[in-house]
Amino acid sequence: MTSRTSLAGGERHRFEDLRALLAAASPRRSGDELAGLAADSDARRVAARMALADLPLAVFLKEALVPYEADEVTRLILDRHDAAAFAPVRAMTVGGFRDWLLSHAADGAALAALAPGLTPEMVAAASKLMRNQDLMAVARKCRVVSAFRTTLGLPGRLASRLQPNHPTDDPRGIAAAVLDGLLLGSGDAVIGINPATDNLPNCMRLLDMLDELRQRHAIPTQSCVLTHVTSAIEIMRRGAPVDLVFQSVAGTEAANAGFGVNLAVLREAHEAALALGRGTLGDNVMYFETGQGAALSAGAHHGLDQQTAEARAYAVAREFRPLLVNTVVGFIGPEYLYDGKQIIRAGLEDHFCGKLLGLPMGVDACYTNHAEADQDDMDQLMTLLGVAGVNFLIAVPGADDIMLNYQSLAFHDVLALRDLLGLRPAPEFEAWLERMGMLTPEGRLRALAPDTAPLARLAAEAGA
Amino acid sequence: MSDGWERLRRATRARIGLGRSGEAVAIRDVLAFQMAHAQARDAVHAALDPGALSEALSDDPGPGVPLLLHSAAPDRGTYLRRPDLGRRLAAESAAAIPRGEWDIAFIIGDGLSATAVQRHAAPVLQAARRRLHGLRLAPPVIALQARVALGDEIGARLGARLAVMLIGERPGLSVADSLGAYLTFGPRPGRADSERNCVSNIHGAGGLSHAGAADRIAWLARQALTLGLTGVALKEDMQPALPDVSATLSPPG
């Protein structure tokens, strides 16, 4: 790869290759510093952005950041590239592309038509030339609609994943948390459990429980037990009621190998889930989670900065027309995203990159106890994402996930955000809340006690 | 006052049935959350008091005065950003380690919860020692700004066949003082996490007791010395009566 130089601020800066240039142009974050890739001064960071702005966008089609021969994610990106869709922006520089994305000519229809012509590297490069405001403004124009039993991503809607985790997968404890979430209007994106163990009978028991509950109360939503894709394949073979197949994915073949997956096994799982035909409104059957830092922590980043590596994970997700994709943005810890500022920026970047590439993007706005962050930072991130048109957010009882030991959003936070921005749940789910008598005439959630609520039976089944 | 949630709360420690003010969480529950988060953060940022810990250890006429060492991470901020530095010794600490011939070296590292170490490390170490009669135990080491893998370099320099790192686990909102024990046979820099055995969740809120932890550490230590290995190949088939351990904590790096 060719080196690049930039004469900026009275100094000449040399960047060894395209990867080094992208890394140096990234906003400061601890993971790139840990990897030894970050710009060593603020001036060098801006100089890198100046050099990047002048680069032709098409360079990313000629210079693979991870070699084509060595990496199936690179092959996927380049083999799937749609040259006709790319044509409108082919002659632009990265800086020109950023300006065009923000122009009113780049409306929702233009951006949707462009998506197959964009690669993750182009999108990541553009994001490095954008302020937070720009990331929101462009993402808001991208509407990506997906459907299974609910329709997600429609304008004016904000869905949520109800995450009822329990440290020992106790079905009563999980049912109690599901009830709490439903009474607070959560669960239209999915009711999704992270199991404490990947044990197959355990996962099947949880799936059966969620499916019975959904059917008994005629809840228009989908369920998911977030177990490894190979376990999902096996439990589908055994006849378990699998709505969505989940997998964590990353942006390089080696990092995916660290997760124990490759494109072939994802394809196998996708086909198996499609064959079940469980969706009533659509056939988006995959659920992916990602997060900056995953490739570096697996020692599989190939010299890529963590945000560019993350964007490449979206090429993997895009291949399988998912219902849901979310970055678990602050989960990885302060050695990758140090504080609230870095987490907020990364959340907006991930949402922007995913949306521009055509993904139904959601976010788990979250942090760990050793990061410099708190719920105030999550309030900011969720609000910015709400403005940016995020498809869904993750919510847990009281923002405290007692199994994974981190903090996300509370069910209440999603209510507050809907109220603040005038957003509503997915239409099918909203109609169910209405039918159940859970909404006020203004469309707000009533404050209902579990034993008097329309879901009292669920409470009884959960042990109350 | 009954709010209908009492029985459901028995099924989970999750924060269900919180009070509502408009769309927001009611103040009592907001403050309870903030207190739990504050305690977890205080545990992460608290400095270990090596003097108090040495004193607690000296109650027992164990094998010598504790040796105090520092990792290459000079402070907490660096420690949190640079896990690689927390896995290496500072140069002066590396030079200060006397080489001997030991079966087991116990290393107490602050990790991500000095609170856990201050509360549980001394009693666990003393209880473990009593179960390891007849073995050559190195003088205990206290290591500051330590990650689990720092025990590899310390164990190697001490000349120990087995390193046992007692270290503060990453605090959760419900438990901020959980201690973990990591056993590594043939400690040397570069050991993978798959080459260790772990006894985790040692704490007083439904976790493993000091005696229970010591039983498991001693059992694993003797097995490791007999078989000459630790890690995935050493399966723990000791079946002590365990409490319901309901917190899963990640190792602190």
Side-chain angles (χ1 to χ4, degrees), chain A residues 28 30 33-34 165-168 170 172-177 179-180 183-184 196 331-332 334-335 338 367-375 397-400 402-407 410 412-413 415-416 419 444-451 458-459 462-464, chain B residues 2-26 33-34 36-38 40-42 44-45 76-85 87 112 147 170-175 201 244-250 253:
Chain A
R28 185 178 175 201
S30 49
E33 291 172 333
L34 179 63
N165 296 342
H166 188 277
T168 58
D170 175 357
R172 291 182 319 126
I174 288 173
L179 174 66
D180 190 47
L183 287 175
L184 290 166
F331 185 73
I332 193 157
E335 61 268 44
Y338 187 67
Y367 62 100
T368 59
N369 287 318
H370 57 321
E372 289 295 318
D374 60 22
Q375 288 314 116
D400 174 8
I402 58 169
M403 199 282 280
L404 295 171
N405 278 310
Y406 76 118
Q407 284 85 253
H412 301 70
D413 295 327
L415 288 188
D419 197 51
R444 294 208 174 96
L445 261 291
R446 290 179 195 282
L448 297 165
D451 44 2
L458 194 142
Chain B
S2 164
D3 63 0
W5 287 96
E6 295 80 14
R7 294 190 57 146
L8 292 165
R9 286 198 187 97
R10 264 176 248 152
T12 179
R13 286 190 287 105
R15 290 169 199 263
I16 57 172
L18 302 186
R20 252 177 86 186
S21 304
E23 310 298 337
V25 177
F33 178 97
Q34 287 183 359
H37 184 231
R41 299 217 5 105
D42 285 347
V44 169
H45 290 279
R76 212 48 349 194
T78 311
Y79 173 84
L80 292 173
R81 279 193 184 85
R82 293 287 305 274
D84 54 325
L85 297 182
R87 298 184 187 114
L112 284 165
R147 301 266 171 183
R170 193 180 94 192
L173 280 201
S174 43
V175 181
N201 287 295
D244 174 27
V245 177
S246 52
T248 51
L249 297 170
S250 311

Side-chain angles (χ1 to χ4, degrees), chain A residues 359-383:
Chain A
L359 288 177
M361 204 67 193
V363 174
D364 188 354
C366 63
Y367 62 100
T368 59
N369 287 318
H370 57 321
E372 289 295 318
D374 60 22
Q375 288 314 116
D376 287 336
D377 297 302
M378 298 305 104
D379 289 344
Q380 293 185 46
L381 179 54
M382 77 166 184
T383 307

Side-chain angles (χ1 to χ4, degrees), chain A residues 94-294:
Chain A
V94 178
F97 178 54
R98 176 267 181 200
D99 284 346
W100 178 80
L101 285 172
L102 286 157
S103 74
H104 297 300
D107 60 11
L111 293 176
L114 178 63
L118 295 178
T119 68
E121 290 84 353
M122 295 174 190
V123 171
S127 79
K128 294 175 197 298
L129 302 181
M130 290 179 147
R131 288 170 41 196
N132 287 1
Q133 177 197 105
D134 306 338
L135 296 172
M136 291 187 279
V138 176
R140 189 180 174 83
K141 295 194 277 188
C142 304
R143 286 290 161 197
V144 183
V145 176
S146 60
F148 191 81
R149 290 191 198 97
T150 51
T151 310
L152 304 171
L154 296 170
R157 305 279 173 173
L158 172 67
S160 67
R161 168 180 162 195
L162 195 172
Q163 182 170 299
N165 296 342
H166 188 277
T168 58
D169 289 336
D170 175 357
R172 291 182 319 126
I174 288 173
V178 170
L179 174 66
D180 190 47
L182 290 172
L183 287 175
L184 290 166
S186 188
D188 43 349
V190 64
I191 300 175
I193 305 170
N194 298 91
T197 108
D198 258 345
N199 173 289
L200 295 184
N202 177 57
C203 290
M204 294 177 72
R205 188 172 54 113
L206 295 177
L207 274 172
D208 283 336
M209 181 197 112
L210 287 182
D211 200 54
E212 277 174 41
L213 187 150
R214 175 185 68 77
Q215 295 203 44
R216 191 171 317 117
H217 300 280
I219 311 170
T221 191
Q222 34 284 332
S223 62
C224 186
V225 172
L226 285 73
T227 185
H228 193 263
V229 65
T230 53
S231 302
I233 290 171
E234 177 57 24
I235 62 184
M236 283 190 279
R237 201 187 57 77
R238 296 189 194 177
V242 173
D243 288 343
L244 304 180
V245 169
F246 168 83
Q247 183 56 47
S248 293
V249 292
T252 67
E253 180 177 336
N256 283 324
F259 284 135
V261 299
N262 54 40
L263 295 173
V265 74
L266 293 173
R267 220 162 259 135
E268 182 187 346
H270 185 215
E271 281 161 18
L274 281 175
L276 298 179
R278 294 173 58 84
T280 50
L281 299 176
D283 67 348
N284 302 112
V285 295
M286 300 298 280
Y287 176 12
F288 295 109
E289 280 190 343
T290 65
Q292 292 190 24

Side-chain angles (χ1 to χ4, degrees), chain A residues 287-336:
Chain A
Y287 176 12
F288 295 109
E289 280 190 343
T290 65
Q292 292 190 24
L296 174 60
S297 77
H301 62 298
H302 296 276
L304 293 178
D305 68 89
Q306 67 182 33
Q307 191 253 336
T308 302
E310 167 75 5
R312 284 168 53 99
Y314 305 151
V316 175
R318 180 161 74 164
E319 178 71 2
F320 302 100
R321 300 189 300 108
L323 181 78
L324 307 164
V325 181
N326 66 262
T327 170
V328 194
V329 65
F331 185 73
I332 193 157
E335 61 268 44
Y336 298 93

Side-chain angles (χ1 to χ4, degrees), chain B residues 57 60 62-63 104-108 120-138 140 162-166 179-183 199 202 209-222 225:
Chain B
L57 287 169
D60 181 28
I104 305 176
F106 278 97
I107 300 136
I108 299 175
H120 307 301
V124 169
L125 176 50
Q126 285 160 356
R129 269 187 201 155
R130 287 195 289 276
R131 289 159 173 78
L132 292 166
H133 274 304
L135 294 169
R136 298 168 300 169
L137 304 184
L162 176 74
V164 181
M165 173 68 106
L166 303 175
L179 188 79
Y182 292 81
L183 293 87
V199 178
I202 306 166
S209 68
H210 298 159
D215 284 342
R216 293 170 74 166
I217 292 167
W219 187 90
L220 284 167
R222 289 187 185 278
L225 292 170

Side-chain angles (χ1 to χ4, degrees), chain A residues 15-95:
Chain A
F15 304 96
E16 195 181 335
D17 58 23
L18 204 43
R19 290 174 305 186
L21 180 65
L22 284 168
S26 295
R28 185 178 175 201
R29 67 199 51 186
S30 49
D32 291 337
E33 291 172 333
L34 179 63
L37 294 167
D40 57 12
S41 73
D42 288 339
R44 182 172 167 82
R45 182 170 291 117
V46 178
R49 288 179 192 163
M50 289 174 168
L52 183 59
D54 289 339
L55 217 59
L57 196 56
V59 74
F60 296 105
L61 297 175
K62 283 178 252 148
E63 284 185 44
L65 301 184
V66 182
Y68 184 89
E69 305 71 33
D71 188 280
E72 67 170 1
V73 178
T74 301
R75 292 197 289 278
L76 178 73
I77 291 167
L78 294 176
D79 294 351
R80 285 282 189 266
H81 181 253
D82 182 337
F86 183 57
V89 298
R90 185 175 47 212
M92 291 181 187
T93 60
V94 178

